[in-house]
Amino acid sequence: AKEAGRNTFRSHLLDTGDEALNDLTLRNGLRPALTRGEFSLHYQPIIALASGKLIGAEALLRWQHPTLGNVPPNRFIPVAELSGHIVAIGDWVLGKACQEAAGWAERGLGPLMVSVNLSPLQLRHGSLEASVAAALSNSGLDGRWLELEITESTLMGDTDALIDQLNRLKAMGIRLAVDDFGTGYSCLAYLRRLPVDRLKIDRAFMADIGAGADDASIVRAIIQMAVGLGLGTTAEGVEHPHQHEALKALGCDEVQGYLYAHPMPAEQFVQWASAHAG
Ligand code: C2E
Ligand code: CA
Ligand code: CA
Ligand code: CA
């Protein structure tokens, strides 16, 4: 009962407590979190829809706070962005993800892609290329096995400088994906200018697909546009078999979601990948 009481207090503090106080608690915790080893990465499998084969995984950041317990990324990443800590944390994520992905190959898995989420701040900071280059050389991972996910809203500040930066990242062999696609207001003309390889269709659009003929129209339009531009498509948040079937009929090429697997700790992902190899 004591333990349950404490957990109730914890989640109360995170969910409904004084927001400013909570943010301060989180913010103060972020600096020592890296050195204390409180961060880890979970990996969610990404699957080729046509063959059903595992092709890679998205790295998702987890924070085990010493008193608050597990703090969800949607809660602490905005705080880390406001405080600027996200740049150092993002570097850590890049290094760790490349290191773990290089380990998969050594353990006879793969070759598998690893996808890493980027904060807009990392793109603006100016150290991103050096961080990516360091992560690749320290791990020995070939750049073609790394994918960087950049949200649609980040890319919308579409300037020549941003495009140059993306082109330099592409020159390292890495793949670029537009994350949460469909939630912004991007048009074809803007997408054509960006050196991206793939659109990750936001899970908001998965809810109704497969439920009725008209409900798939947005996803169908996105996939047709992607095909026209020579881009691949990954559907996020696939939870039900009828969504899987609808995506297959629409020609989506990669899928990710609870239907296939939840994000899991690195070691568990290796087990999962071994069981789903070939
Ligand atoms: P995201 O990049 O859109 O990641 C997908 C989120 O959807 C993950 O939440 C994942 O656990 C969840 N998800 C996967 N499959 C399903 C499904 O079938 N149904 C539902 N309802 N959800 C599903 P998570 O891990 O809580 O991450 C939330 C967000 O935090 C991410 O959204 C991303 O924006 C951000 N994030 C996570 N790790 C990092 C990171 O290393 N760096 C940065 N900058 N942001 C990160
Ligand atoms: Ca993502
Ligand atoms: Ca996403
Ligand atoms: Ca998101």
Side-chain angles (χ1 to χ4, degrees):
K2 213 175 188 179
E3 190 57 40
R6 207 186 300 150
N7 285 333
T8 306
F9 169 71
R10 278 175 193 166
S11 50
H12 174 73
L13 185 68
L14 277 174
D15 297 340
T16 56
D18 183 323
E19 282 294 311
L21 179 69
N22 291 345
D23 284 1
L24 193 65
T25 307
L26 293 178
R27 187 187 159 144
N28 289 338
L30 283 169
R31 190 186 297 276
L34 270 177
T35 49
R36 288 185 195 153
E38 292 165 8
F39 290 118
S40 66
L41 295 178
H42 281 198
Y43 293 93
Q44 185 176 35
I46 298 173
I47 286 141
L49 186 47
S51 66
K53 278 190 179 161
L54 174 68
I55 44 183
E58 178 174 0
L60 293 158
L61 187 57
R62 297 291 178 261
W63 182 17
Q64 190 64 35
H65 186 281
T67 56
L68 299 171
N70 183 45
V71 185
N74 285 334
R75 185 69 185 86
F76 72 81
I77 283 171
V79 178
E81 283 176 335
L82 276 173
S83 68
H85 286 113
I86 194 68
V87 175
I89 296 169
D91 281 354
W92 179 86
V93 171
L94 275 166
K96 188 73 171 175
C98 290
Q99 182 200 328
E100 290 184 320
W104 301 338
E106 280 162 23
R107 295 173 70 166
L109 297 171
L112 295 174
M113 298 282 309
V114 68
S115 300
V116 171
N117 291 286
L118 288 188
S119 156
L121 228 66
Q122 289 174 274
L123 278 154
R124 265 185 262 132
H125 189 260
S127 61
L128 181 63
E129 285 157 62
S131 299
V132 171
L136 293 175
S137 71
N138 291 339
S139 63
L141 187 76
D142 191 289
R144 70 183 162 181
W145 303 118
L146 175 63
E147 175 174 82
L148 298 178
E149 298 190 2
I150 306 169
T151 58
E152 190 180 13
S153 51
T154 305
L155 292 169
M156 245 141 39
D158 178 355
T159 64
D160 290 340
L162 174 67
I163 293 172
D164 286 348
Q165 189 182 24
L166 296 179
N167 277 320
R168 287 193 299 272
L169 289 167
K170 292 270 331 153
M172 295 182 208
I174 64 176
R175 203 163 91 166
L176 297 179
V178 183
D179 202 359
D180 302 345
F181 189 80
T183 57
Y185 299 92
S186 26
C187 60
L188 232 101
Y190 132 95
L191 264 183
R192 271 188 50 217
R193 293 191 63 205
L194 297 171
V196 296
D197 303 285
R198 158 167 307 278
L199 305 180
K200 293 197 75 171
I201 307 168
D202 196 80
R203 88 169 124 84
F205 303 109
M206 297 307 136
D208 296 331
I209 66 161
D214 290 343
D215 297 324
S217 58
I218 291 177
V219 175
R220 180 182 294 115
I222 292 174
I223 292 171
Q224 280 172 357
M225 180 178 70
V227 168
L229 293 169
L231 305 176
T233 47
T234 307
E236 303 188 287
V238 181
E239 295 180 352
H240 304 290
H242 69 262
Q243 296 169 331
H244 171 100
E245 292 310 322
L247 289 162
K248 208 168 194 172
L250 292 173
C252 181
D253 57 318
E254 295 182 4
V255 284
Q256 182 182 354
Y258 297 164
L259 176 64
Y260 315 99
H262 284 249
M264 49 198 137
E267 197 50 39
Q268 198 186 324
F269 172 72
V270 169
Q271 311 277 309
W272 193 95
S274 310
H276 292 80

